[in-house]
Amino acid sequence: MFTHNTVGTNDPAKSKAFYDALFTAIGGKPGFADDKGRTVYMHNGGVFIVTPPIDGQPATVGNGCTIGFGMDSTEMADAWHAAGVANGGTSIEDAPGWREGGFGKLYLAYLRDPDGNKLCAMKRG
């Protein structure tokens, strides 16, 4: 359904360090700059882009937006979460763990990146 996800940043170097840590924690590679200077991550068929806004205005957080990343295991989700916290992210919501709800049993770990974007690691039960 999705081709890519993009988040804005006001500090590209800080964001690159944060997202490099997240993606390498789950077997991905550090991001690379595209021809427009955006940092691009490609992993498991998905594309994730971090960029200052094209309109030149400051990046702001999308209220109510969450970007979810699929995990192969709870250990991978925990490594992702730990890498994020160690590299400028903030742990939010409940601690990483299993939750039951309308979508069934899910292992979830939530972070905000250095710019405040809400991210979630998810492993289905």
Side-chain angles (χ1 to χ4, degrees):
M1 180 184 311
F2 300 102
T3 59
H4 65 282
N5 282 292
T6 302
V7 295
T9 183
N10 293 307
D11 189 337
K14 188 173 187 178
S15 287
K16 184 173 186 325
F18 174 83
Y19 283 105
D20 281 359
L22 283 187
F23 285 112
T24 59
I26 61 171
K29 295 181 180 172
F32 62 89
D34 72 1
D35 60 344
K36 295 182 180 177
R38 302 173 295 193
T39 303
V40 178
Y41 297 88
M42 300 172 77
H43 185 61
N44 290 343
V47 177
F48 188 80
I49 302 167
V50 183
T51 184
I54 293 170
D55 65 5
Q57 298 298 310
T60 58
V61 177
N63 189 21
C65 295
T66 302
I67 297 171
F69 296 92
M71 300 288 141
D72 293 335
S73 67
T74 59
E75 293 81 12
M76 182 181 279
D78 289 341
W80 176 93
H81 188 267
V85 170
N87 286 276
T90 304
S91 182
I92 60 170
E93 311 269 336
D94 294 329
W98 289 103
R99 290 145 174 97
E100 297 257 358
F103 291 104
K105 189 174 180 178
L106 305 172
Y107 191 90
L108 302 171
Y110 286 94
L111 290 170
R112 287 207 185 267
D113 75 4
D115 288 287
N117 296 295
K118 186 177 179 182
L119 311 172
C120 177
M122 183 182 77
K123 166 70 176 128
R124 294 191 185 278

